[in-house]
Structures are given as C-alpha cells and as structure tokens.
Amino acid sequence: MKVIKVLSAATLLASAFFSAPSLASHATVFGPVDSIDHIFAAGGGTFTATTTGANDDAWLVFGANAGDILSITATGIFGPNVVLFRAGTNGVVEVGDIYTATGAFDGNSLQTGTGVDLIVESMAFHACGDCYVAPGSATFLVALSGQYAFGISPANDSSSFVGATTINLTGNTRGVSNAVPEPASLALFGLGLAGLAAARKRKPA
C-alpha cells in the first residue's frame, strides 16, 4: 500500500513538471465600428491608437491595390488583438459596420474569410496560439483592391490589455478616397451615362 502511495505521488510530480503548456486565451469581441480613429494615406504611415477600456476598439482604415505588399508592424503593450479586415458588403469601412452579429473573435486561431461588413484577411503576427496578438510584424499580399481596416481590441475584453498600440504601415499604393467608388457616386455616374445616351438619341441626324 505504501508503494502505491509513493508511485502515485511520483506520478503527480512528473505530470506537474512535464504537462503540455496551455496557451493563453486571446478571445475578444469586436463591437460595431463606433468611429474611425485614423485614415492612412497612400504609402501608409504611423499612428498610435489608444484603447481606453476593456470594451473599447480602435479602427484604422486604408486603401490598397491588388498586388500591393503590405508591411505591418505593431508595437506597444502586449495583449491587444490586431486584426486586418477587408471591407465586405458595400466595399466601404464605415460607422456601424459589424464583424459578426455577436462580434466574438478567437485570436488563438486563423479566422481568415469570416465576417459580414468586415472580413478577416490572412495575417498573423505569431504562430497560432497568439495569432493576432500585438506586438509583432507581418507582411501581407493584397489580392483585392479596396478598403481595409485594422481592428484593435483588448484581448479577452480585459483591462489588462488596455493602452497604446502603434501601427506602422507601408506598401499600400492608394488612398481611401479612391479605393472603392461610393454607391452614391456610382448611381450618379449611371444617371449621367443614361442622360448622355438619351441626349444622343434626341439629337437630329
């Protein structure tokens, strides 16, 4: 009986030393876009976004052309999820846009292609387990021209990860204003073409 107790204690001790390490959780919630904190011009730049609370997200927007190779560096506190989104639905990043109905985001695994108004692109600062967690650096090849956004959210909606994150972006060759035609602009352009066609029909031969 004593031998069994000794073996049990040894087994427990071994499991304490050799158990697989558990990965930190980096889940969070990206709420709807409440404001756009910064717009990068063509060529990129540097901006420091500061989250002020556990449920505060920051949104930084830029335009890019297909074929652009983006270089992205996030510095500052450890812990916030920094996610590269592409504009979905109407092609414009704007106030009220949502990631998903609940906004629940798993920063421990690649979420590429998920989203509604904001679609996650394939970018990771680290090997998964800490995929989207700042600080870190990454490069990204743009496949579709349009508007993109960095979403910054304190991991686990925890005040432990609230603070300043500086994003440095290079490689985008277009600005936001010419990234995607606004729907209203497209409609006006269409009306203009229709008017021109009507005028040509009325013109005597």
Side-chain angles (χ1 to χ4, degrees):
M1 184 65 72
K2 286 183 181 178
V3 173
I4 293 173
K5 285 183 179 177
V6 169
L7 288 174
S8 297
T11 303
L12 287 172
L13 187 62
S15 65
F17 277 109
F18 299 109
S19 61
S22 60
L23 298 171
S25 170
H26 293 295
T28 194
V29 172
F30 278 100
V33 176
D34 55 353
S35 66
I36 293 173
D37 298 273
H38 181 69
I39 297 175
F40 290 102
T46 301
F47 182 78
T48 299
T50 302
T51 52
T52 58
N55 301 116
D56 182 28
D57 303 328
W59 299 97
L60 317 181
V61 178
F62 66 96
N65 285 309
D68 286 352
I69 299 176
L70 308 179
S71 178
I72 302 150
T73 301
T75 56
I77 61 172
F78 171 79
N81 286 316
V82 179
V83 179
L84 178 63
F85 292 100
R86 174 173 53 85
T89 53
N90 66 355
V92 178
V93 179
E94 56 194 346
V95 172
D97 280 357
I98 61 170
Y99 163 53
T100 60
T102 64
F105 180 85
D106 179 7
N108 299 310
S109 59
L110 289 173
Q111 303 293 292
T112 307
T114 59
V116 182
D117 300 318
L118 302 168
I119 300 168
V120 178
E121 291 295 331
S122 180
M123 183 191 74
F125 288 131
H126 310 282
C128 276
D130 289 327
C131 290
Y132 298 91
V133 180
S137 297
T139 57
F140 176 74
L141 174 62
V142 176
L144 296 171
S145 298
Q147 289 191 12
Y148 291 78
F150 296 109
I152 302 172
S153 182
N156 305 324
D157 292 329
S158 168
S159 57
S160 301
F161 302 122
V162 167
T165 300
T166 299
I167 301 292
N168 178 262
L169 166 70
T170 61
N172 61 312
T173 60
R174 73 193 299 175
V176 167
S177 61
N178 64 349
V180 175
E182 296 282 351
S185 300
L186 287 174
L188 288 172
F189 181 68
L191 287 173
L193 287 178
L196 183 61
R200 284 186 173 176
K201 283 183 180 178
R202 285 196 301 268
K203 186 176 179 181

